[in-house]
Amino acid sequence: MGKFKKTLVSAAKADLAQEQEQKRLRKKHHVEEEGLLIVERDNLLKFFVRCLASTIRIGATIFLFLLAAIGLVALVYPEVREVLFRVLYQIGQELFTMLR
């Protein structure tokens, strides 16, 4: 019985979401007819922006995983930790000399 209630609730939520979207689209396009279904299609610019945003998001996620892996390796192996600290110290020194 719970299975049927879940599908009914999800169907009702989907219908409400579609009604809200249609209200928004009617207001946006200045359409007063109630029986009319408005479908908004994506254009090339929206598609490009959406693809670019998802590509940046995936790249940032991969970059964060790489940084986490480097940190984990630096915690586990003391030799790598020393080299990492030396590199970070040199970077700090170079930044300090650039800011002078």
Side-chain angles (χ1 to χ4, degrees):
M1 188 90 181
K3 177 181 172 184
F4 296 115
K5 287 183 181 179
K6 288 180 184 177
T7 57
L8 287 175
V9 170
S10 63
K13 285 182 181 179
D15 287 342
L16 285 174
Q18 183 180 8
E19 286 178 21
Q20 293 294 328
E21 181 68 16
Q22 286 299 311
K23 285 180 184 178
R24 183 187 69 79
L25 288 173
R26 281 192 190 98
K27 187 175 181 180
K28 178 180 176 183
H29 296 291
H30 306 291
V31 176
E32 298 297 326
E33 296 179 39
E34 286 295 323
L36 190 64
L37 181 66
I38 300 172
V39 178
E40 190 174 51
R41 296 185 181 172
D42 289 338
N43 59 13
L44 185 62
L45 182 64
K46 283 184 183 179
F47 175 75
F48 180 71
V49 168
R50 211 175 283 139
C51 285
L52 184 66
S54 64
T55 303
I56 290 172
R57 189 176 303 122
I58 290 171
T61 304
I62 291 171
F63 182 69
L64 286 176
F65 278 128
L66 285 174
L67 286 177
I70 289 170
L72 186 62
V73 168
L75 282 174
V76 172
Y77 297 108
E79 298 87 16
V80 177
R81 188 178 327 136
E82 291 173 11
V83 172
L84 182 65
F85 283 146
R86 266 190 254 134
V87 169
L88 290 175
Y89 180 75
Q90 288 174 353
I91 290 172
Q93 290 296 321
E94 289 179 16
L95 286 175
F96 184 71
T97 57
M98 280 187 218
L99 292 176
R100 276 195 203 175

